[in-house]
Amino acid sequence: EVQLVESGGGLVQPGSSLKLSCVASGFTFSSYNMHWIRQAPKKGLEWIALIYYDSSNKYYADSVKGRFTISRDNSKNTLYLEMNSLRSEDTAMYYCAKDRPELGLYVMDAWGQGASVTVSS
Amino acid sequence: DIVLTQSPALAVSLGQRATISCKTNQNVDYYGNSYMHWYQQKPGQQPKLLIYLASNLASGIPARFSGRGSGTDFTLTIDPVEADDTATYYCQQSRNLPPTFGGGTKLELK
């Protein structure tokens, strides 16, 4: 069974940094592209970052480009999201999601339960 | 970025048909496939993939769910609606980066 477990969320002040982790199990992590998607309170889904299976390509939403960094450690089956210069508008639930290329380009066929990030003074 | 537009809410009776629409401002077809996907999100839970490439049922999803459409107009149909289907439904395009989602349609029971 595919499992994705996020951690590292919390309450931080504007301008600070935070690093989220997503531990994967139940599939060959090193073979799949991975995404981060966030959801602000009572709002819709916003894709924020993608990393290829071998870290050869990384893509970001304009809203986080230059502030957030996606990375992975295939030896640890772990996906990361390093968030710097956090703003109040970054307050959201952050989900990691597994890509499933066999189903189409950038389809997310498994999601973690989410890590909550609150940016407030 | 490709913009996806959904109606915010829909109310249907148990056992009836629910049709949720998603319109895009650009064609999401490419080489014979429509890069449109649908997710279900129940309150307090993570999203779950329902439909991929416009009309293909994801693994474990009941046949009450179906999708259709091409180009810029897509629909998700639930027939018949069950109580457990109360959720918010999101469409997502993957024709271009960045992948973008519709605003979501909240399905409620009358």
Side-chain angles (χ1 to χ4, degrees):
Chain A
E1 179 196 2
V2 172
Q3 278 204 318
L4 298 167
V5 180
E6 300 95 335
S7 62
L11 170 63
V12 296
Q13 293 192 334
S16 61
S17 300
L18 201 60
K19 188 171 185 177
L20 303 181
S21 300
C22 168
V23 176
S25 60
F27 65 102
T28 305
F29 179 72
S30 59
S31 297
Y32 289 90
N33 302 342
M34 296 292 294
H35 302 262
W36 285 101
I37 301 101
R38 69 183 180 184
Q39 186 171 35
K42 300 196 181 303
K43 299 293 186 183
L45 301 168
E46 179 190 16
W47 173 88
I48 57 172
L50 160 68
I51 185 168
Y52 276 30
Y53 66 99
D54 59 356
S55 300
S56 59
N57 287 289
K58 302 176 184 181
Y59 301 95
Y60 299 93
D62 287 345
S63 58
V64 306
K65 199 174 295 182
R67 299 188 300 123
F68 290 13
T69 302
I70 189 171
S71 63
R72 64 192 296 161
D73 185 337
N74 286 343
S75 69
K76 296 182 178 179
N77 286 352
T78 303
L79 175 72
Y80 301 101
L81 184 69
E82 186 159 11
M83 304 182 291
N84 297 318
S85 302
L86 282 162
R87 307 165 180 167
S88 58
E89 54 264 37
D90 296 318
T91 294
M93 184 69 77
Y94 285 74
Y95 297 101
C96 63
K98 170 182 165 287
D99 194 81
R100 185 78 183 275
E102 310 95 276
L103 305 186
L105 204 60
Y106 309 134
V107 179
M108 299 144 204
D109 77 326
W111 298 59
Q113 87 289 346
S116 178
V117 174
T118 302
V119 184
S120 175
S121 55
Chain B
D1 297 3
I2 297 177
V3 176
L4 285 63
T5 301
Q6 298 181 244
S7 297
L10 177 67
V12 298
S13 301
L14 275 175
Q16 299 302 302
R17 175 185 300 170
T19 302
I20 296 170
S21 71
C22 177
K23 297 183 187 297
T24 65
N25 68 343
Q26 296 179 41
N27 193 319
V28 299
D29 292 352
Y30 188 66
Y31 281 98
N33 286 315
S34 295
Y35 286 89
M36 178 60 69
H37 322 292
W38 291 92
Y39 300 84
Q40 176 193 63
Q41 186 179 32
K42 296 180 179 178
Q45 296 186 16
Q46 68 268 51
K48 177 170 71 174
L49 178 66
L50 294 177
I51 300 283
Y52 62 94
L53 294 177
S55 60
N56 298 278
L57 215 55
S59 176
I61 303 303
R64 302 183 293 103
F65 292 87
S66 63
R68 61 180 298 169
S70 65
T72 61
D73 285 275
F74 298 87
T75 57
L76 170 71
T77 299
I78 311 169
D79 189 11
V81 168
E82 297 184 357
D84 189 52
D85 300 332
T86 301
T88 300
Y89 294 85
Y90 293 93
C91 53
Q92 176 234 329
Q93 68 79 25
S94 63
R95 171 64 179 84
N96 291 347
L97 280 173
T100 47
F101 292 88
T105 298
K106 187 173 184 179
L107 180 65
E108 299 172 324
L109 297 178
K110 284 182 183 175

